[in-house]
Amino acid sequence: GNSVTQMEGPVTLSEEAFLTINCTYTATGYPSLFWYVQYPGEGLQLLLKATKADDKGSNKGFEATYRKETTSFHLEKGSVQVSDSAVYFCALTGGGADGLTFGKGTHLIIQP
Amino acid sequence: GAGVSQSPRYKVAKRGQDVALRCDPISGHVSLFWYQQALGQGPEFLTYFQNEAQLDKSGLPSDRFFAERPEGSVSTLKIQRTQQEDSAVYLCASSLVASGTEAFFGQGTRLTVV
């Protein structure tokens, strides 16, 4: 079956630091890949997505590239801000009429 | 509506009680999903509707869990004879078409069984 593994948190960084949150997946076929973010007190929001190999998703300064050869979709940002503090979830869907498979989430804390 | 709306936001139930959780998806969204999120974990898929048809219920943990979407819009997740292990946040998401497109999530219902 499908599964997503992402790095354990919490990850604590200083403002303006470089961010990487690792995500690897196991799936049959050709999944679509997503990063969702959950800010304190809010619901899950789609941050970015990629639907085929070598696609790069980007939003709000965050990027992730769909790497089929390494089955990875690592999230990166060049300079984080305090407002980026949240829980980040890597997820995939196998296509068709199935739901999302999520990783366990990575809690990111940015200190001023 | 402007977003996916779930009610109640918080629910405390005594063990053995039945509960009903409501989801109002974004108007016109064909697909509706329910997820269960335990503390410190990622959401786990429970069930999927396309309009009023429940196409996948493979994630429902037991026959105490039942979901319906009779008119292809509002959905209700019902849990009978609640147990402590049912304590979690229940998330609803909707999308315009099938998966692979953006799913919009509600804020969830936090269920605590005491």
Side-chain angles (χ1 to χ4, degrees):
Chain A
N2 297 338
S3 68
V4 174
T5 303
Q6 61 182 106
M7 60 192 295
E8 299 281 331
V11 173
T12 303
L13 296 172
S14 297
E15 206 166 18
E16 299 183 4
F18 183 86
L19 168 71
T20 300
I21 300 178
N22 290 337
C23 171
T24 58
Y25 67 89
T26 302
T28 54
Y30 302 94
S32 295
L33 303 175
F34 304 82
W35 277 100
Y36 277 82
V37 59
Q38 190 168 35
Y39 298 104
E42 299 185 15
L44 279 167
Q45 302 173 25
L46 179 66
L47 180 60
L48 53 84
K49 71 175 185 180
T51 57
K52 62 182 188 297
D54 300 324
D55 268 2
K56 178 186 285 188
S58 61
N59 186 25
K60 299 183 180 180
F62 290 89
E63 293 183 339
T65 300
Y66 188 144
R67 300 285 188 203
K68 190 169 171 59
E69 64 275 14
T70 54
T71 60
S72 65
F73 194 54
H74 304 320
L75 183 68
E76 296 182 335
K77 186 173 184 182
S79 176
V80 291
Q81 306 300 312
V82 172
S83 57
D84 294 327
S85 298
V87 182
Y88 291 80
F89 293 92
C90 185
L92 68 82
T93 183
D98 63 339
L100 291 158
T101 300
F102 285 88
K104 291 187 177 182
T106 302
H107 187 193
L108 176 65
I109 301 168
I110 307 301
Q111 296 177 333
Chain B
V4 178
S5 178
Q6 292 188 247
S7 60
R9 288 291 313 279
Y10 303 93
K11 176 69 180 177
V12 178
K14 291 186 178 178
R15 193 157 54 100
Q17 276 186 334
D18 298 349
V19 298
L21 313 180
R22 178 187 169 103
C23 172
D24 279 272
I26 294 172
S27 179
H29 276 197
V30 167
S31 297
L32 186 145
F33 303 83
W34 283 98
Y35 294 85
Q36 180 189 58
Q37 185 176 17
L39 190 64
Q41 302 295 313
E44 294 196 355
F45 170 80
L46 293 177
T47 187
Y48 164 66
F49 289 87
Q50 188 173 95
N51 296 307
E52 69 278 4
Q54 189 175 21
L55 298 186
D56 187 346
K57 54 182 181 179
S58 61
L60 296 177
S62 77
D63 59 9
R64 295 186 296 104
F65 286 71
F66 172 76
E68 60 183 5
R69 192 186 185 198
E71 297 179 359
S73 178
V74 170
S75 178
T76 304
L77 177 67
K78 297 179 179 178
I79 310 173
Q80 297 177 322
R81 305 182 303 281
T82 52
Q83 304 295 316
Q84 283 194 317
E85 61 263 28
D86 300 335
S87 296
V89 176
Y90 290 86
L91 297 170
C92 176
S94 70
S95 66
L96 193 56
V97 288
S99 61
T101 60
E102 181 174 358
F104 293 84
F105 282 80
Q107 290 191 289
T109 295
R110 181 177 297 278
L111 172 66
T112 304
V113 181
V114 298

